[in-house]
Amino acid sequence: MTKKYHHYNKCGCQKGQYCHKCKPQHPDQGAIVQRVVCSKEVQKSAELLLPAALGPLSETGVNGITPGSLIGGIEQLLGLTGGALVNIRVSPDFTAIQQEATVIKDKVINMGYIPATLDVVVTGGTVTLSIPVRIFFQEHTDCPGARPGDQIIETDPVVEADFYQDLLTTDASGSTVVNLLLFKAIVCSHLTIYRPAIEKNGELCDIDSCSSPDGPVTIKSP
């Protein structure tokens, strides 16, 4: 006799599904399909440096910190001399975004990065140095019913919005502002989580509904 499990049973069968020891009776009479567990749009924020700024600083500075001393310190770090530094800007490569997704219980962890360069602009508008960087993003998305071992399909990332800011700017009074947030982008993709199931008489039952992970799941990174 086939036993009807309710949605709260330990085997993972959904309400209205007929299961026997976590699998339908006579599985050879059913069809193996891919059951969609969760399908969601995910927005991720990628930022370079901190959402803050130093200044505004007049030429006399504040507590000994002047625009000249700050710029001089940055030049020293970059190996520049003689007040050559004009600015530092971010140049992202949106065509080469990398991303990975990991399923844990009832949630998907999505990580990735945007490859970019920090372009050092010197006197005359010349870019004298381009430092390769990776601008990371991550997002944790609720996905009720998901579990380790589920399969993932993720669409190619789409940049919905971006923000650029030079390292050195001036305010309305002409005082220097050193910006620590140089770049921000909102990246969107669509996640679909699925697992194999047996379909019989219009009902679904997970094939591996009694399986469980052994130990913590390793989070994937690009």
Side-chain angles (χ1 to χ4, degrees):
M1 178 178 178
T2 302
K3 183 177 180 180
K4 186 175 181 180
Y5 288 92
H6 295 291
H7 67 285
Y8 54 78
N9 77 93
K10 295 181 180 179
C11 291
C13 298
Q14 302 297 309
K15 185 176 181 181
Q17 297 172 349
Y18 290 88
C19 301
H20 178 67
K21 293 182 180 178
C22 304
K23 297 181 182 180
Q25 286 188 342
H26 312 300
D28 56 318
Q29 297 180 12
I32 296 179
V33 298
Q34 299 294 344
R35 180 171 78 85
V36 175
V37 178
C38 178
S39 186
K40 284 190 174 183
E41 183 179 283
V42 182
Q43 288 183 318
K44 297 148 282 192
S45 176
E47 296 180 356
L48 183 64
L49 301 183
L50 302 174
L54 296 178
L57 298 172
S58 64
E59 289 301 319
T60 57
V62 177
N63 295 328
I65 302 175
T66 66
S69 65
L70 281 174
I71 296 171
I74 297 171
E75 286 182 331
Q76 186 175 4
L77 288 174
L78 298 174
L80 301 174
T81 58
L85 177 66
V86 173
N87 230 316
I88 297 179
R89 297 167 183 158
V90 177
S91 296
D93 182 2
F94 290 140
T95 66
I97 297 175
Q98 302 295 313
Q99 59 185 10
E100 283 284 356
T102 304
V103 180
I104 61 176
K105 187 179 185 302
D106 296 326
K107 198 175 292 288
V108 179
I109 300 174
N110 189 271
M111 297 181 66
Y113 65 84
I114 302 172
T117 58
L118 280 177
D119 297 330
V120 179
V121 183
V122 298
T123 304
T126 303
V127 175
T128 187
L129 181 64
S130 290
I131 304 170
V133 296
R134 291 178 174 181
I135 306 172
F136 287 93
F137 57 79
Q138 69 170 340
E139 186 63 39
H140 299 177
T141 303
D142 290 332
C143 188
R147 61 172 184 257
D150 288 346
Q151 301 299 307
I152 306 173
I153 296 176
E154 184 170 13
T155 61
D156 292 336
V158 175
V159 178
E160 293 189 320
D162 55 24
F163 167 83
Y164 300 83
Q165 188 165 241
D166 289 350
L167 178 69
L168 304 174
T169 57
T170 56
D171 69 355
S173 67
S175 297
T176 299
V177 177
V178 181
N179 298 300
L180 299 184
L181 176 61
L182 301 182
F183 172 82
K184 182 183 180 75
I186 305 300
V187 180
C188 179
S189 63
H190 194 100
L191 288 170
T192 300
I193 314 302
Y194 65 94
R195 70 172 67 113
I198 292 178
E199 181 179 21
K200 183 181 178 183
N201 298 327
E203 298 174 340
L204 294 174
C205 186
D206 296 340
I207 292 176
D208 61 346
S209 55
C210 281
S211 63
S212 61
D214 184 13
V217 176
T218 300
I219 297 175
K220 300 176 184 177
S221 63

